[in-house]
Amino acid sequence: MEAKRNRHPELARVSLENHTRMKILTISKLAMLVAGVLLISCTKMKNENNSKPTEDSVVVNMATAVDVKTSYAEVKGRNIAYRSLGSGTPLILCNRYRGILDTWDPAFLDAVAKDFNVITFDYTGFGLSTGTPPTDMATFARDVLDLMEALHVQKAVIGGWSFGGLVAQTLIARYPQKASHGLLIGTGPLGKNQTPIEPIFYERSSIVDNSLDDETVLFFEPEWAPSRDAAKISHDRIAQRKTDLDVPVPKELWINYHKGFADCTADKYGL
């Protein structure tokens, strides 16, 4: 079977050589794999923080991703909506394209929260956050810095999924003193991307209310049965949250992501 081109940085693939069957790592499995490596690499750092409390060792309640309450950080005239799980070294995750607090798989968040204080948030003006929505990568990344300041976090593991991975890389490159490690999920490098994007991604990502089938195409491998099964399981886990819900990103704000992508491609910051 001829290996297909990568659909998009949001679709993580592992291609087998000699035209053998292509197997796909789903976003959730890839996230768990990367997180596992991160946990190993950060063991010394975690132990040091546990033995000697610091400003960055945030301790929170034992809520799970399904029921943790949404909090708000008031900073510079706006409120940034966020959720905080677990305790230990802070790990801040940046949302994907059209992503909000509710679109992270709770199994992933709960697993990482066993060893880290996992913080998810909405960009300014998106979801439950207030303020003027950003249109360039530097301003998207500024949200992370402002949230860290509000939560009295001096340094953190900075992560992101897809579009959020670009935000995370921008912050790490511009403010390396703020990041101890990076966690990048289903994303690409800063600068011009030479990999063509398949039209089906644009088609499905432009649907206002994505179905399970859309999610399978966008984030998993629809031609591989185990990946389709994983998509359904992940979809059902995310749907378990019933209260204190976030709000979808309206279509009129999608252009802000596009401008962010363009800004990243132009690489005007020389990163």
Side-chain angles (χ1 to χ4, degrees), residues 4-261:
K4 296 174 63 178
R5 294 179 303 175
N6 284 345
R7 177 168 286 108
H8 187 266
E10 293 202 38
L11 184 62
R13 298 189 174 186
V14 175
S15 299
L16 300 180
E17 296 180 353
N18 300 323
H19 302 285
T20 56
R21 181 183 178 112
M22 190 178 345
K23 293 186 178 180
I24 308 301
L25 286 177
T26 65
I27 287 295
S28 59
K29 290 181 180 178
L30 176 61
M32 296 298 292
L33 175 62
V34 177
V37 174
L38 180 68
L39 297 183
I40 294 173
S41 66
C42 292
T43 297
K44 182 178 179 181
M45 175 181 63
K46 177 173 71 70
N47 290 339
E48 289 175 349
N49 283 341
N50 287 341
S51 62
K52 183 179 180 181
T54 68
E55 188 176 25
D56 296 335
S57 298
V58 181
V59 178
V60 296
N61 60 43
M62 300 304 293
T64 66
V66 171
D67 56 27
V68 63
K69 293 183 179 180
T70 303
S71 299
Y72 297 87
E74 185 176 355
V75 55
K76 299 179 181 177
R78 68 192 191 282
N79 290 320
I80 298 180
Y82 73 95
R83 292 175 187 160
S84 180
L85 287 168
S87 61
T89 301
L91 191 164
I92 301 176
L93 294 172
C94 305
N95 287 333
R96 63 169 172 81
Y97 177 74
R98 295 179 57 190
I100 53 176
L101 294 170
D102 296 339
T103 50
W104 290 96
D105 190 323
F108 167 60
L109 297 181
D110 287 339
V112 181
K114 292 179 180 179
D115 294 282
F116 292 84
N117 173 211
V118 181
I119 301 169
T120 56
F121 71 99
D122 283 335
Y123 301 119
T124 295
F126 291 78
L128 295 173
S129 292
T130 63
T132 303
T135 57
D136 60 79
M137 277 298 170
T139 310
F140 275 106
R142 187 72 219 181
D143 277 350
V144 183
L145 292 179
D146 288 345
L147 181 60
M148 291 176 69
E149 179 182 344
L151 299 181
H152 306 291
V153 173
Q154 295 300 314
K155 181 176 287 189
V157 179
I158 307 297
W161 174 12
S162 184
F163 180 87
L166 299 177
V167 176
Q169 290 177 73
T170 300
L171 182 137
I172 293 170
R174 289 171 63 87
Y175 307 96
Q177 73 277 11
K178 291 296 184 180
S180 62
H181 296 74
L183 174 60
L184 306 178
I185 308 167
T187 191
L190 299 175
K192 188 174 183 179
N193 189 347
Q194 301 293 339
T195 303
I197 298 176
E198 295 184 17
I200 193 170
F201 174 80
Y202 289 117
E203 296 169 8
R204 297 302 183 99
S205 64
S206 297
I207 297 174
V208 175
D209 296 314
N210 287 133
S211 64
L212 171 60
D213 185 64
D214 295 330
E215 294 172 4
T216 304
V217 170
L218 290 169
F219 310 126
F220 297 83
E221 175 45 62
E223 296 181 7
W224 190 37
S227 190
R228 293 196 300 272
D229 294 340
K232 176 63 164 59
I233 294 171
S234 178
H235 175 88
D236 291 345
R237 282 195 298 256
I238 292 173
Q240 290 175 0
R241 189 177 182 93
K242 303 296 184 183
T243 60
D244 188 21
L245 297 176
D246 205 337
V247 296
V249 177
K251 192 171 184 178
E252 56 266 26
L253 281 183
W254 297 358
I255 187 63
N256 292 58
Y257 295 113
H258 302 161
K259 291 179 179 179
F261 277 126

